[in-house]
Each structure stands twice: as structure tokens, then as C-alpha cells.
């Protein structure tokens, strides 16, 4: 049963054998690994440029150089006792070393756990402890924050964390280049059906759950995405969003681009000024954006002094892209738009290059695979007809069957027969395209960054003057949604301002995007009949500044 039947060595439920056989027979799972993929590309076209890191000084990696670098780091990691199945928390911004480290870990079958640069001590300590990570990879400083100090604190709290590798000045830790070693021969790599990495879920209850993806399933999603988006050796893809996110990594993302023999260019910050300069200088043909960035690009492009004429295609997804905004995109940028509705758990939907213009602006696409099973159901899991909104359930060759080490949660998040309950409310059109109508899960989608309200509520509750709190999403013109914390103070508690609550949350060491954007003080929180806070009624409360 889901959540109980763990495959030995994977710590997570996997596809039943009859499904695995079907996916292999259909040619979806071809026995490739991510590490092997780079090896093959490097053999086929060693001198092509795979990767460009333009800042602060332009560095490039040919396919051969990236492959060799991955081998050297893999050898060094292995020499330090990091091996198959071990977890390594990787928290790097968009720098070339991020790609090197990923491939080095893929090669030895160690599992990167993809933290975001914005994560702070609360999240990192949790990831390290929960995954029993043996190593943690960080930049020295990023966006004004010293990650080495954070690493030292986490190391003190997490005895199993043996190594901290630093890109840049190592402080008291190990500089990443020092970790490299001369490869002494082939290393025992992972099997294609084994796990490749752990990705973070958006989360609804407390901390992010971990998403176990296999080489077989992920490489299939890359191949499918590459075909749909027309990625080829001439593609020059700008990685604008954090490279560790599933969307810019694999839909089709920098991994899809490497799969197809193209060039991935890393953008250090997502602002249009930086990105536009790179589009011009690097002759970028493709990129992926969340809706708030797509809005900024739409506003900035007509007046920019930069030549954006190399751009052929931009993918927009991660949060709902309004029809009105989508209509303005192609005229403003002079390139094609694909909408993407995906999830790190698996299923990815794309509008297609041969869809008519109306479909591209009014839907969020259709699945990659003919074997992506889509069900749209009512509150009692009964299928509803096309055109009616309902809960999206999905199962398929690259959608997980369960989170990592979370049997209790898996029983709620998956049906008995293995469908993932996405928590999204969708409507299916007669053409099989999905339109995202809303969300049933308790989550805030802040411009593509997912926030689990419960995680923030738990932090706010730690304030001695707070009696109760509920965090909900409120509409925002720019971000789509932002977060609002309704706070009930303890009787007799001294005066507290919104800024005090925000500072308290920030000082607890959590990612800045999770700090409530707005705080309102109320006397009491509305309750449902069974005594739970009614988020529905809170969301309907009018007038927020
Ligand atoms: C992507 O992945 P996650 O795991 O950060 O978030 C998944 C959730 C979905 O369940 C849905 O609630 C929301 O993000 N979402 C969208 C959307 N794309 C994602 N909601 C409305 N419209 C869209 N176009 O966000 C992700 C992963 C791979 C590719 C693209 C996005």
C-alpha cells in the first residue's frame, strides 16, 4: 500500500513492477542516468560549449571540461567517503560550480538535496538533520549573507554532517576545489532506477517534504520537454530563476539543454537589466520565467536599449499567468510563449508550439506524456466531466509515488492506487489542455515561491506575546499572491507592531520570502464548525492595505 511498501534502499514508495515494465516497454525509461548522459554528450561533441557563467568574469565549460570536472569532484567526494545513496545538501546560487557539483554527485550516486539560496538556518538545519546529510555545499557569501557562518552553526547542531564545501573563500571549511582529486578509475555509479536527488516540495503542512526522483524518470521528463520546446544544439538557454528549482532545471531547463547538446548560460540575478544585457551579449534563444518576471520583462522590453532579437521562446510557469498578461507577452518580446504548469513531484504540462494563439494564452498546457494519467475529481474522488473544475490527480512515468520517508503524509497525498493529489483545482478542455482555476491545498504561491502557511504560523507562535495566528494568501497585482498574518495577541500582552512580528520571524532564521508581507491584529480568528480556523473566511475578509 502507498506509504508502507518502501523499496529497499530508496526510503520511498516507487512504481509497482507492472508500471515500471510498461514504462520501459514504451521506451520512456531507457536505462540512462544523468551522469551517463553528460558522459555521452562529452564523447559525442567534446568541444561544444555546455555552460557559461558570465559573472563576475566570464567562464565557459566545454562538454569535455564539464565531464572531466565532474569526474574529478566525484573522485574527491568518493575519497572522503561520500557514496551511493548518501545525501548532500546543496545550496548554491546560479554559478558554474552548482552544475559541476550536481554531476559529480550524480556520478557517484550520492543524492543532492536542493536547498534554495534564500533558505536560512531553520530550513537548512531541518534538511541536514532529516536527510542525515553527510555534507553541505555553500557559497562563501551571497546577496550580502555569509553562508559559512550558517554552515558552522548547522554543523554544530548536526553531528552527522561531516563536511562543508565552500565555493569561494572557505573560512574554516573546505574549499570546493580542494575536494577534487585525480580519478583513479571508474566509480560504481547508480542504477537508472535508483534515486538521483531529493527536490523540495512546496509544502502545505510544516516543513517541505522531500521529492525522490529517479534517473529513469527524470531523464524521460527531460527528453519529453526537449522535444516539446524544440531544444537543440543551437539552443542558448538563460537560467534566470534559481537553478535548483525544478522548473529552470528540467522544464526543459539547463539539464534539458545539456541533454540536447546546447548551451546553458547562468544569470546571476533575475532583474530585467541584468538578464537583457546577457540576452544581447550571449545571443540567448530561450529562457524560463515566473509570471511576475514575465510581467517585468513585458513592461521593460519595449523601451530597452538591448537587442533581444535572438530570443525565440520564453516559458512562463510556476504560478498562474493571467490571460491579460499572457496576451501582451509575444507582442512585447517579439518571441514565442509557452505556458508551463508543472510540479517538482512530476507532472509537467506545456502549451505546444503548434497550439493556436488562444490556447497558448488561455490554458496552462497539456501533459508531456501520453501515459500521464489525469483525473479531475470532486470532493469525493468522483470524476467530473471535462469543462468542470475539480481536484487534479495524476499518475505517470515521471510522477513520484510517494515522498521520501513520509509514510503518514503519503497516505493523504496519494490515492490507494498511486495517484498524486496535486492540491490544484483545474478544468480540462476538450483538447486535453488544463486550465488552473485555483488551489485546494493550504499553500501560498508568492510569485512562484511556495510557502506553507503552517510553517510560518509555527514561527510566529513562538513569539511570547502571540496567542494565535493564521497566515493566508491575499491577491497582489505584481506577485499574484502575498502573505498576510492575522495575529491574536495574548491578554495583557504589551503593544506589538506589524514590524515587530516581521522582525521576529526574520530573526528566527527562515527564508525572507516566507516573512509575512502583511500583519493584521485581530481579537479572534473565525472558526469552522469543528473548531478549526476558517481560512476561507479570513481570505474573504475585506480591505488589506
Ligand atoms: C513548479 O513546481 P513547484 O513544485 O514549485 O510547484 C508546483 C505547484 C503546482 O502544484 C501549482 O500549484 C503551482 O505550483 N503551479 C502553477 C503553475 N505552475 C505551477 N499554478 C498555476 N499556473 C501554473 N502555470 O512550480 C514547476 C515545476 C516544473 C515546471 C514548472 C513549474
Amino acid at each position: 500500500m502507498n506509504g508502507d511498501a518502501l523499496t529497499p534502499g530508496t526510503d520511498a514508495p516507487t512504481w509497482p513492477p507492472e508500471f515500471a515494465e510498461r514504462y520501459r516497454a514504451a521506451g520512456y525509461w531507457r536505462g540512462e542516468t544523468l551522469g551517463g548522459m553528460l558522459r555521452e554528450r562529452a564523447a559525442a561533441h567534446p568541444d561544444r560549449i555546455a555552460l557559461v557563467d558570465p559573472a563576475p568574469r566570464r567562464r565557459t565549460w566545454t562538454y569535455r571540461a564539464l565531464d572531466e570536472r565532474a569526474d574529478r569532484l566525484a573522485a574527491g567526494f568518493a575519497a572522503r567517503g561520500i557514496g551511493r545513496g548518501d545525501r548532500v545538501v546543496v545550496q548554491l546560487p546560479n554559478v558554474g560550480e552548482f552544475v559541476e557539483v550536481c554531476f559529480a554527485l550524480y556520478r557517484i550516486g550520492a543524492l543532492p538535496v536542493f536547498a534554495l539560496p534564500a533558505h536560512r538556518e531553520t530550513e537548512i538545519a531541518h534538511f541536514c538533520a532529516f536527510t542525515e546529510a553527510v555534507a553541505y555545499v555553500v557559497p562563501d557569501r551571497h546577496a550580502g549573507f555569509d553562508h559559512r557562518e550558517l554552515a558552522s552553526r548547522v554543523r554544530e547542531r548536526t553531528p552527522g554532517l561531516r563536511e562543508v564545501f565552500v565555493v569561494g573563500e572557505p573560512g574554516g571549511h573546505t574549499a570546493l576545489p580542494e575536494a577534487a582529486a585525480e580519478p583513479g578509475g571508474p566509480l560504481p555509479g547508480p542504477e537508472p532506477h535508483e534515486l538521483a536527488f531529493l527536490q523540495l516540495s512546496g509544502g502545505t503542512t510544516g516543513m517541505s517534504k522531500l521529492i525522490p526522483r529517479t534517473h529513469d524518470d527524470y531523464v524521460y521528463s527531460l527528453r519529453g520537454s526537449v522535444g516539446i520546446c524544440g531544444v537543440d544544439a543551437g539552443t542558448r538557454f538563460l537560467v534566470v530563476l534559481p537553478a535548483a528549482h525544478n522548473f529552470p532545471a528540467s522544464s526543459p531547463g539547463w539539464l534539458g539543454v545539456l541533454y540536447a547538446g546546447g548551451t546553458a548560460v547562468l544569470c546571476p540575478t533575475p532583474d530585467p537589466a541584468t538578464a537583457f544585457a546577457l540576452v544581447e551579449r550571449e545571443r540567448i534563444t530561450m529562457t524560463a520565467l515566473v509570471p511576475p518576471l514575465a510581467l517585468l520583462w513585458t513592461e521593460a522590453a519595449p523601451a530597452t536599449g538591448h537587442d533581444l532579437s535572438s530570443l525565440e521562446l520564453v516559458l512562463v510557469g510556476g504560478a498562474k499567468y493571467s490571460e491579460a498578461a499572457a496576451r501582451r507577452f509575444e507582442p512585447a518580446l517579439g518571441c514565442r510563449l509557452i505556458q508551463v504548469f508543472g510540479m517538482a513531484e512530476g507532472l509537467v504540462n506545456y502549451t505546444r508550439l503548434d497550439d493556436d494563439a488562444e490556447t497558448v494564452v488561455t490554458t496552462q498546457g497539456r501533459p508531456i506524456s501520453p501515459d500521464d494519467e489525469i483525473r479531475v475529481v470532486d470532493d469525493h474522488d468522483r470524476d467530473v466531466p471535462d469543462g468542470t473544475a475539480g481536484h487534479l490527480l495524476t499518475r505517470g512515468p515521471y510522477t513520484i509515488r510517494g515522498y521520501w520517508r513520509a509514510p503518514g503524509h503519503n497516505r493523504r497525498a496519494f490515492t490507494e492506487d498511486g495517484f498524486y493529489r496535486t492540491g490544484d483545482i483545474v478544468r480540462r478542455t476538450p483538447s486535453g489542455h488544463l486550465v488552473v482555476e485555483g488551489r485546494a491545498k493550504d499553500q501560498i504561491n508568492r510569485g512562484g515561491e511556495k510557502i506553507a502557511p503552517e510553517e510560518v504560523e509555527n514561527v510566529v507562535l513562538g513569539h511570547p506575546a502571540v496567542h494565535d495566528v493564521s497566515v493566508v494568501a491575499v491577491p497582489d497585482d505584481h506577485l499574484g499572491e502575498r502573505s498576510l498574518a492575522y495575529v491574536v495577541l495574548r491578554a495583557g500582552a504589551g503593544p506589538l507592531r506589524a514590524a515587530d512580528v516581521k522582525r521576529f520571524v526574520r530573526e528566527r532564521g527562515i527564508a525572507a520570502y516566507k516573512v509575512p508581507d502583511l500583519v493584521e491584529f485581530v481579537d479572534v480568528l473565525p472558526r469552522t464548525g469543528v473548531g478549526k480556523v476558517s481560512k476561507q473566511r479570513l481570505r474573504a475578509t475585506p480591505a488589506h492595505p
Side-chain angles (χ1 to χ4, degrees):
M1 205 176 80
N2 256 306
D4 293 330
L6 301 186
T7 300
T10 66
D11 292 306
T14 189
W15 293 268
E18 63 275 21
F19 282 86
E21 276 159 32
R22 197 170 98 212
Y23 297 152
R24 286 199 184 91
Y28 304 146
W29 296 356
R30 296 186 184 167
E32 294 166 281
T33 63
L34 291 164
M37 182 262 279
L38 177 62
R39 174 85 78 235
E40 283 174 26
R41 301 305 179 270
H45 40 73
D47 297 322
R48 259 193 226 157
I49 301 295
L51 184 64
V52 180
D53 180 346
R57 67 187 165 81
R58 189 174 188 273
R59 295 182 293 162
T60 62
W61 287 251
T62 61
Y63 275 84
R64 182 199 285 119
L66 185 57
D67 187 51
E68 286 176 0
R69 188 71 198 151
D71 271 345
R72 289 178 55 78
L73 275 176
F77 288 155
R80 287 166 185 263
I82 302 174
R84 202 150 148 185
D86 284 342
R87 276 77 61 193
V88 175
V89 175
V90 179
Q91 184 186 30
L92 290 174
N94 292 1
V95 293
E97 287 82 357
F98 174 72
V99 178
E100 296 180 346
V101 167
C102 289
F103 278 108
L105 295 172
Y106 296 149
R107 232 160 231 177
I108 55 178
L111 312 181
V113 180
F114 289 120
L116 296 174
H119 287 139
R120 293 294 178 260
E121 189 167 343
T122 305
E123 291 100 347
I124 298 294
H126 170 71
F127 302 145
C128 289
F130 184 71
T131 67
E132 301 173 89
V134 297
Y136 175 32
V137 190
V138 292
D140 48 7
R141 297 182 66 82
H142 177 65
F145 183 79
D146 194 325
H147 287 264
R148 296 162 299 191
E149 287 174 13
L150 170 64
S152 301
R153 290 198 299 276
V154 172
R155 217 176 149 176
E156 268 168 36
R157 291 171 62 172
T158 323
L161 191 65
R162 297 200 305 265
E163 310 265 3
V164 173
F165 301 110
V166 181
V167 174
E169 286 299 318
H173 307 290
T174 306
L176 184 71
E178 262 177 56
E182 208 51 55
L187 294 162
E191 296 292 328
H193 69 272
E194 290 180 340
L195 298 187
F197 57 82
L198 298 173
Q199 183 65 263
L200 307 181
S201 76
T204 49
T205 52
M207 289 296 202
S208 296
K209 299 288 174 291
L210 295 164
I211 298 170
R213 301 289 299 261
T214 65
H215 290 272
D216 265 334
D217 92 69
Y218 211 59
V219 174
Y220 170 50
S221 81
L222 294 180
R223 193 182 326 114
S225 299
V226 159
I228 289 165
C229 302
V231 181
D232 60 24
T235 300
R236 300 180 62 78
F237 184 91
L238 189 65
V239 187
V240 172
L241 301 169
H245 255 286
N246 194 57
F247 175 26
S250 69
S251 306
W254 55 270
L255 272 166
V257 169
L258 298 182
Y259 183 93
T263 303
V265 180
L266 301 168
C267 194
T269 55
D271 57 284
T274 306
F276 285 2
L278 280 172
V279 170
E280 174 174 315
R281 192 150 22 105
E282 301 287 345
R283 305 302 296 157
I284 296 299
T285 64
M286 197 183 290
T287 190
L289 303 174
V290 287
L293 279 178
L295 280 176
L296 286 181
W297 282 44
T298 307
E299 283 159 16
T304 183
H306 290 292
D307 175 8
L308 306 180
S309 62
S310 57
L311 268 180
E312 293 166 8
L313 173 63
V314 176
L315 296 114
V316 178
K320 179 78 184 214
Y321 195 30
S322 81
E323 185 186 322
R327 280 192 197 283
R328 293 199 300 268
F329 190 85
E330 290 192 353
L333 270 298
C335 71
R336 298 295 305 273
L337 165 71
I338 283 185
Q339 289 208 49
V340 196
F341 162 42
M343 50 209 74
E345 285 81 356
L347 179 70
V348 181
N349 303 276
Y350 295 99
T351 59
R352 300 301 201 264
L353 287 167
D354 58 4
D355 278 342
D356 59 65
E358 275 308 292
T359 303
V360 174
V361 296
T362 59
T363 82
Q364 279 67 59
R366 59 186 172 83
I368 293 177
S369 176
D371 269 313
D372 279 321
E373 298 172 70
I374 298 292
R375 287 184 63 200
V376 184
V377 301
D378 66 14
D379 288 345
H380 306 285
D381 282 358
R382 289 178 304 223
D383 294 273
V384 300
D386 280 356
T388 305
H391 304 272
L392 170 64
L393 313 183
T394 186
R395 183 169 82 169
Y398 59 98
T399 297
I400 59 164
R401 291 300 187 111
Y403 294 99
W404 194 79
R405 293 191 183 169
H409 183 71
N410 286 340
R411 276 189 282 275
R412 293 189 295 278
F414 293 82
T415 65
E416 285 276 312
D417 55 353
F419 279 82
Y420 167 53
R421 298 183 186 277
T422 65
D424 293 311
I425 303 290
V426 304
R427 167 168 63 81
R428 186 165 38 189
T429 69
S431 59
H433 287 70
L434 301 177
V435 178
V436 182
E437 298 280 8
R439 195 171 55 226
K441 56 190 166 191
D442 188 17
Q443 191 177 75
I444 298 164
N445 191 335
R446 190 179 186 276
E449 300 281 15
K450 313 303 183 312
I451 302 169
E454 190 185 296
E455 185 184 344
V456 183
E457 288 161 3
N458 288 339
V459 177
V460 177
L461 279 174
H463 193 292
V466 172
H467 170 66
D468 206 356
V469 61
S470 185
V471 177
V472 297
V474 289
D476 180 77
D477 284 346
H478 176 61
L479 290 169
E481 296 175 10
R482 31 182 205 163
S483 63
L484 165 60
Y486 285 100
V487 173
V488 182
L489 292 177
R490 273 186 203 286
L496 203 64
R497 292 167 307 153
D500 300 326
V501 175
K502 293 188 199 182
R503 185 167 8 90
F504 177 80
V505 175
R506 206 172 298 119
E507 285 172 357
R508 283 294 155 115
I510 84 172
Y513 66 84
K514 296 180 188 170
V515 175
D517 294 299
L518 303 164
V519 178
E520 283 189 25
F521 296 98
V522 290
D523 292 333
V524 63
L525 295 172
R527 301 267 164 190
T528 64
V530 292
K532 278 175 56 177
V533 173
S534 170
K535 296 222 166 182
Q536 214 177 349
R537 275 165 60 199
L538 274 178
R539 279 187 216 107
T541 312
H544 317 292

